[in-house]
Amino acid sequence: MSSTLSPGIAPALSDLAARLRAELGEDAVVLDPEPRYAGDAAVRAAEGTRFLLVLPRDVDGVQATLRLAHATGTVVVTRGAGSGLSGGAVPEEGAIVLGLERLDAIREIDPLDEVAVVEAGVITADLSAALAPHGLFYAPDPASARLSSIGGNVATNAGGLHCAKYGVTRESVLGLEAVLADGTLLRTGHRSIKGVTGLDLTQLLIGSEGTLAVITAATVRLRPIPVARRTILARFPSTADAAAGVNAISRSPVRPAATELMDGGTLEDIDSHTGSALADGDSAILLIELDGYGIAEQTADLAAALTAAGGTVRTVEDVAEAEHLWELRRSGRGSRADRLRLGEDIAVPKSRLADIFAQLSAIGIRHGVETSAIAHAGDGNLHPSLELPRRTGEGEEEQELPTPILAAADDLVRAALDLGGTISGEHGIGTAKRRWLDLELSASCRALQRQIKAAFDPRQLLNPGKAL
Amino acid sequence: MSSTLSPGIAPALSDLAARLRAELGEDAVVLDPEPRYAGDAAVRAAEGTRFLLVLPRDVDGVQATLRLAHATGTVVVTRGAGSGLSGGAVPEEGAIVLGLERLDAIREIDPLDEVAVVEAGVITADLSAALAPHGLFYAPDPASARLSSIGGNVATNAGGLHCAKYGVTRESVLGLEAVLADGTLLRTGHRSIKGVTGLDLTQLLIGSEGTLAVITAATVRLRPIPVARRTILARFPSTADAAAGVNAISRSPVRPAATELMDGGTLEDIDSHTGSALADGDSAILLIELDGYGIAEQTADLAAALTAAGGTVRTVEDVAEAEHLWELRRSGRGSRADRLRLGEDIAVPKSRLADIFAQLSAIGIRHGVETSAIAHAGDGNLHPSLELPRRTGEGEEEQELPTPILAAADDLVRAALDLGGTISGEHGIGTAKRRWLDLELSASCRALQRQIKAAFDPRQLLNPGKAL
């Protein structure tokens, strides 16, 4: 591959490649990358987009890449594990895709300080595995934990199943190592829970989706593995009843580690691709994990609250069965060749779950789109699914979503905002949600964000056109 | 008072006062404020500093004040309850002190969403009192909770006793209402635990000490009041042993709600001004609060860990005695007329508590200064006290600290940094700690902070010379 780009935009990729190979080594620079590097798990670059894949082995390599990009005016799209769902890592023509998968060292685990220093490319589940022998865990666990990397989690402020109790990624990051647009190394934050020296650049970088700097490592806080865990499955006649069950938990003194609401459609979908038998008409399930001390008391209080709210409650005593249920939840929805599907990510104040489920249903009917949803109910985060059967003859590679699905998504995002919610709970904005930014953020807010972007990246080379 | 300022710096205060009275009403503008408005709880403006006190009754009044300040180039120093300890609210000559004490409404408490919307002037303890009937509490509780306001807590990212378990103020703030330098109203954040739309301006404003915007209200997350609480008092032969006790807790699965380490000097000081009998030679105390489910199991695990570490452990069953012990802790150190004292605020990784206590002692000997310290041990935050007897004839109003105390403070801050810590755990930088900023923050980091400041406040009118 020896493509040449428009003059004045960037030097030829082959020239960039040669210069980077001299600094980073032959195998760190790939001119004809595998197709997966052209996108994330949901969005791909247009066919034929030319980009250069750089896979540095260390932070020096990241700095060298950014120095050259800065000197040549080349756009840099940072990529973690490629598990994103909003297009944050999709390259544009002539860009460098800076993959951090080789920065995969857990530099340090300190059980007494309860911190770990972890490079961006470490897979989230691998960190947890490394911590287990110390009796510790890293709380943020997006459903993608076995695929996604710490760097990507930090860059998108990833959520997951345990956020209502343990917080999102933001609450577990104490400090960052990052490389600025010009290649300068930046260290932010601290190693103690507390620290208030100056503006908090750590917090500003978290969730910035590669637009401010390239995050190369994080100092994360750890927690002791709970002394006990218990799974409870509560079935309700409808999603509205299940949402009432969530309110009943809010009124109780129990705070589960995870509270997942699966509606009838979601249960049917899981059954259809796993062989499970969860669905039962329109009934909805709350799948709940309790953890910590006093697990029997917690279980009793929770069961009482859910039963009073009309739920049929079962404590899953068998550990293997409990693990299987969580596995079913995490494996999520199947990818069916005969369906076109848009997976959404919105959040509402948690007392409004019944309203957003009702809206989802009404929107589906209005646009002739099949809808269902799973919710991290404890934090009001909803992943609706908007689907249509694929027309005969359409290949599975067909990406274009039909108008009814897009129109339904638009109505749904607006419904979330009307209920006091947000257009993205945890997946980020990327390219997929930019069109709704103005609905949530004021002009002043967006202007400030753009000025902050300009302070970090005056030449607009870091993931331009994403997130902001 | 009708002072005139240097021409070109700001219009005469009396002229500003007249214009603001026309907009905000007579009683909202004070030309001769009480002396307390000239500083916070630790630092005062130089004698004779002229400033205008504005006490708006609502957000419109805050906007009007900022619009006028912006139009006239007048510096605005925002003030919460004046309980700060780092000089963040100290006015400069010709400034407006914008006091938010009248913005004292709790606008909303929503038990099902577990959020409250609280104006900046609400006293932190008053929020907790208002939440109690709902079975909820607001977790951040600086020792000053009965004096300090939510706005000040947010502006300094206040800490307190319960941070290791519940996080600092940052972790309890979901969204903000703030007024920008030119008077524009800004709303940031969300009402759900999750939300990742654009750069997180909420997090950037938290801890910005009045340098970026005037925070007028916060949407805060609430938590259920724990089903049980228990106080444990463990005595150790020395601070080093007590620090080993903290490590023993880290190795156990128990995470207390609060873990306060008081050394011999602190216990003597408390005894001397409260009549208690806590001190016993060089021995140190860990005062611990457990909360939540399984309190008996938690107590047993904690007691076993502390006993094995050499502690003499007593569970305080009597509620009144437990409350009294926490009251003694919170009342903190006495203010003695015959002493000159500097109260410090540093943090270290929590496994290094023994090291910083040893350093503190050595520094005291080196500079001939008496030292003692209390620590929020669970998060590594230490409040050392550096003292000397006041010389005969010095009045209590004498503020200048003698060189040995200042030199000892300098050594202490450097020692904290050498141990991987920070120059301010929770009090903020204000004016008191600016001289150490370069020791902790790199030139790149400070440059970025200044650029962010410029984006929010291009005319440098919001609390200039503080924090950054």
Side-chain angles (χ1 to χ4, degrees):
Chain A
M1 189 170 169
S2 61
S3 56
T4 313
L5 301 177
S6 327
I9 294 177
L13 287 177
S14 55
D15 181 43
L16 274 178
R19 293 169 69 178
L20 284 169
R21 281 189 175 127
E23 284 206 73
L24 278 69
E26 277 298 312
D27 71 330
V29 183
V30 186
L31 260 171
D32 51 349
E34 294 170 42
R36 65 190 168 102
Y37 288 104
D40 62 12
V43 186
R44 307 192 74 76
E47 191 67 39
T49 303
R50 289 160 303 176
F51 62 93
L52 184 66
L53 175 65
V54 183
L55 300 170
R57 207 167 284 98
D58 52 29
V59 177
D60 285 350
V62 176
Q63 290 185 266
T65 306
L66 284 163
R67 271 194 301 267
L68 183 66
H70 195 251
T72 57
T74 309
V75 162
V76 175
V77 177
T78 307
R79 179 190 174 86
S83 60
L85 293 168
S86 63
V90 176
E92 62 183 76
E93 176 71 21
I96 288 174
V97 169
L98 179 55
L100 299 183
E101 59 198 57
R102 292 181 181 175
L103 271 73
D104 61 354
I106 298 174
R107 292 185 192 162
E108 185 190 352
I109 294 173
D110 189 319
L112 289 183
D113 287 340
E114 290 179 88
V115 299
V117 182
V118 190
E119 290 187 348
V122 170
I123 298 300
T124 308
D126 292 349
L127 173 61
S128 292
L131 294 171
H134 300 279
L136 296 167
F137 78 114
Y138 171 67
D141 68 330
S144 64
R146 287 184 204 152
L147 307 169
S148 60
S149 62
I150 293 291
N153 289 177
V154 173
T156 57
N157 187 24
L161 279 65
H162 289 123
C163 300
K165 180 160 184 175
Y166 293 109
V168 294
T169 296
R170 184 180 297 291
E171 270 94 56
S172 284
V173 177
L174 298 172
L176 292 174
E177 175 191 270
V179 180
L180 297 174
D182 65 358
T184 306
L185 192 66
L186 180 77
R187 289 178 212 281
T188 71
H190 35 86
R191 195 183 165 95
S192 47
I193 299 291
K194 289 179 181 165
V196 290
T197 305
L199 301 178
D200 202 315
L201 300 185
T202 306
Q203 293 295 327
L204 185 60
L205 290 176
I206 297 170
S208 62
E209 300 191 36
T211 63
L212 300 185
V214 176
I215 294 163
T216 51
T219 301
V220 298
R221 75 172 289 190
L222 311 175
R223 297 167 194 272
I225 293 174
V227 293
R229 287 200 171 102
R230 186 157 301 168
T231 295
I232 284 138
L233 191 150
R235 189 179 291 276
F236 291 83
S238 70
T239 47
D241 293 310
V246 174
N247 286 343
I249 299 174
S250 299
R251 285 192 199 93
S252 85
V254 193
R255 285 301 170 273
T259 306
E260 298 290 306
L261 194 167
M262 292 175 274
D263 70 2
T266 299
L267 297 173
E268 272 175 33
D269 185 274
I270 293 176
D271 288 348
S272 75
H273 77 275
T274 67
S276 57
L278 295 172
D280 181 11
D282 285 339
S283 78
I285 280 178
L286 289 183
L287 185 63
I288 294 169
E289 183 179 272
L290 298 173
D291 69 7
Y293 281 92
I295 202 81
E297 298 165 73
Q298 288 189 53
T299 304
D301 284 358
L302 182 78
L306 294 177
T307 305
T312 306
V313 180
R314 185 164 73 84
T315 303
V316 184
E317 301 281 359
D318 181 65
V319 174
E321 188 193 354
E323 277 178 14
H324 180 62
L325 283 167
W326 287 106
E327 189 57 37
L328 290 178
R329 160 58 193 96
R330 274 173 213 277
S331 66
R333 308 187 64 87
S335 175
R336 286 175 54 186
D338 61 339
R339 315 281 291 173
L340 282 163
R341 176 178 172 268
L342 176 65
E344 255 301 336
D345 165 47
I346 51 177
V348 294
K350 68 176 174 166
S351 70
R352 311 306 297 271
L353 280 168
D355 302 274
I356 193 70
F357 269 103
Q359 292 268 0
L360 173 65
S361 178
I363 288 167
I365 291 165
R366 189 152 72 237
H367 295 283
V369 167
E370 293 167 37
T371 60
S372 61
I374 196 163
H376 307 305
D379 53 41
N381 183 204
L382 204 74
H383 295 306
S385 191
L386 306 172
E387 296 184 46
L388 279 176
R390 213 180 275 273
R391 279 167 301 196
T392 318
E394 281 182 338
E396 213 181 324
E397 68 286 354
E398 178 66 50
Q399 285 191 62
E400 203 73 18
L401 286 168
T403 306
I405 287 184
L406 295 174
D410 195 63
D411 281 4
L412 185 62
V413 162
R414 289 167 193 270
L417 288 171
D418 285 347
L419 290 168
T422 170
I423 66 173
S424 180
E426 58 184 9
H427 292 169
I429 302 300
T431 55
K433 300 210 136 182
R434 279 176 312 184
R435 68 183 178 284
W436 294 309
L437 275 174
D438 278 329
L439 295 180
E440 180 164 344
L441 303 180
S442 67
S444 315
C445 195
R446 292 200 67 185
L448 285 168
Q449 296 188 353
R450 279 190 295 264
Q451 285 173 276
I452 293 166
K453 162 77 173 169
F456 277 82
D457 179 21
R459 303 186 66 181
Q460 303 284 326
L461 297 176
L462 300 183
N463 225 6
K466 312 282 171 60
L468 305 183
Chain B
M1 189 169 166
S2 63
S3 57
T4 314
L5 301 177
S6 328
I9 293 177
L13 288 177
S14 55
D15 180 43
L16 275 178
R19 294 169 69 178
L20 284 169
R21 280 190 177 126
E23 285 207 73
L24 278 68
E26 277 298 313
D27 71 330
V29 183
V30 186
L31 259 173
D32 51 348
E34 294 170 43
R36 66 190 170 101
Y37 288 104
D40 62 13
V43 187
R44 306 192 76 75
E47 191 67 39
T49 303
R50 290 160 301 176
F51 63 93
L52 184 66
L53 175 65
V54 183
L55 299 171
R57 207 168 283 98
D58 52 28
V59 177
D60 285 350
V62 176
Q63 291 184 266
T65 306
L66 284 163
R67 270 193 302 267
L68 183 66
H70 195 251
T72 56
T74 310
V75 161
V76 175
V77 177
T78 308
R79 178 189 175 88
S83 61
L85 292 169
S86 63
V90 176
E92 63 183 77
E93 176 71 21
I96 288 174
V97 168
L98 178 56
L100 300 182
E101 59 199 57
R102 292 181 180 175
L103 271 73
D104 61 354
I106 297 173
R107 293 186 192 161
E108 184 189 353
I109 294 172
D110 189 320
L112 289 183
D113 286 341
E114 289 178 89
V115 298
V117 182
V118 190
E119 291 186 346
V122 171
I123 299 298
T124 309
D126 291 349
L127 174 60
S128 291
L131 293 171
H134 301 279
L136 296 167
F137 78 113
Y138 172 67
D141 68 329
S144 63
R146 288 185 204 150
L147 307 169
S148 60
S149 63
I150 293 291
N153 289 177
V154 173
T156 57
N157 187 24
L161 280 64
H162 288 122
C163 301
K165 180 160 184 176
Y166 293 109
V168 294
T169 296
R170 183 179 297 291
E171 270 93 56
S172 285
V173 178
L174 298 172
L176 292 174
E177 175 191 270
V179 180
L180 296 174
D182 66 358
T184 306
L185 192 66
L186 181 77
R187 291 178 211 279
T188 71
H190 34 87
R191 195 183 163 95
S192 48
I193 299 291
K194 289 178 181 165
V196 291
T197 305
L199 302 178
D200 201 315
L201 301 185
T202 306
Q203 293 295 327
L204 185 60
L205 290 176
I206 297 170
S208 62
E209 299 190 36
T211 63
L212 300 186
V214 177
I215 294 163
T216 51
T219 301
V220 298
R221 74 172 291 190
L222 311 174
R223 296 166 194 273
I225 294 174
V227 292
R229 287 200 170 103
R230 186 157 300 167
T231 295
I232 285 137
L233 190 150
R235 188 179 291 276
F236 291 84
S238 70
T239 46
D241 293 310
V246 174
N247 285 342
I249 298 173
S250 298
R251 284 192 200 93
S252 85
V254 192
R255 286 301 171 272
T259 306
E260 297 291 305
L261 193 168
M262 292 175 274
D263 70 2
T266 300
L267 297 173
E268 273 175 32
D269 185 272
I270 293 175
D271 288 348
S272 75
H273 77 275
T274 67
S276 57
L278 295 172
D280 180 11
D282 284 339
S283 78
I285 280 178
L286 288 184
L287 185 64
I288 294 167
E289 182 177 273
L290 298 173
D291 70 7
Y293 282 93
I295 202 80
E297 299 166 70
Q298 289 190 53
T299 304
D301 284 358
L302 183 77
L306 294 177
T307 304
T312 305
V313 179
R314 185 164 74 85
T315 303
V316 183
E317 302 282 357
D318 181 66
V319 174
E321 187 192 354
E323 275 177 16
H324 180 62
L325 283 167
W326 286 106
E327 190 56 37
L328 290 178
R329 159 60 192 94
R330 273 172 214 277
S331 66
R333 309 186 63 86
S335 176
R336 287 174 54 186
D338 61 339
R339 317 279 294 172
L340 283 162
R341 176 178 171 268
L342 176 64
E344 254 301 334
D345 165 47
I346 52 177
V348 294
K350 67 176 174 164
S351 70
R352 310 308 297 271
L353 281 168
D355 302 276
I356 193 68
F357 269 104
Q359 293 268 359
L360 173 65
S361 178
I363 288 166
I365 291 165
R366 190 153 71 238
H367 294 284
V369 166
E370 292 167 37
T371 61
S372 62
I374 196 163
H376 307 305
D379 53 41
N381 184 203
L382 204 74
H383 295 306
S385 191
L386 307 171
E387 296 184 46
L388 279 177
R390 213 181 274 272
R391 278 166 302 193
T392 319
E394 281 181 337
E396 214 182 322
E397 70 286 354
E398 177 68 48
Q399 283 193 63
E400 203 72 17
L401 286 167
T403 307
I405 286 183
L406 296 174
D410 195 64
D411 282 4
L412 184 63
V413 163
R414 288 168 193 269
L417 288 171
D418 285 347
L419 290 169
T422 170
I423 67 173
S424 181
E426 59 183 7
H427 292 170
I429 302 301
T431 55
K433 301 211 135 180
R434 278 176 310 183
R435 67 184 179 283
W436 293 309
L437 275 174
D438 278 328
L439 295 179
E440 180 164 345
L441 303 179
S442 67
S444 314
C445 196
R446 293 201 67 185
L448 285 168
Q449 296 188 354
R450 280 190 295 264
Q451 286 174 276
I452 293 166
K453 162 76 173 169
F456 278 81
D457 179 21
R459 302 187 67 182
Q460 303 284 325
L461 297 176
L462 299 183
N463 224 5
K466 311 281 172 60
L468 305 183

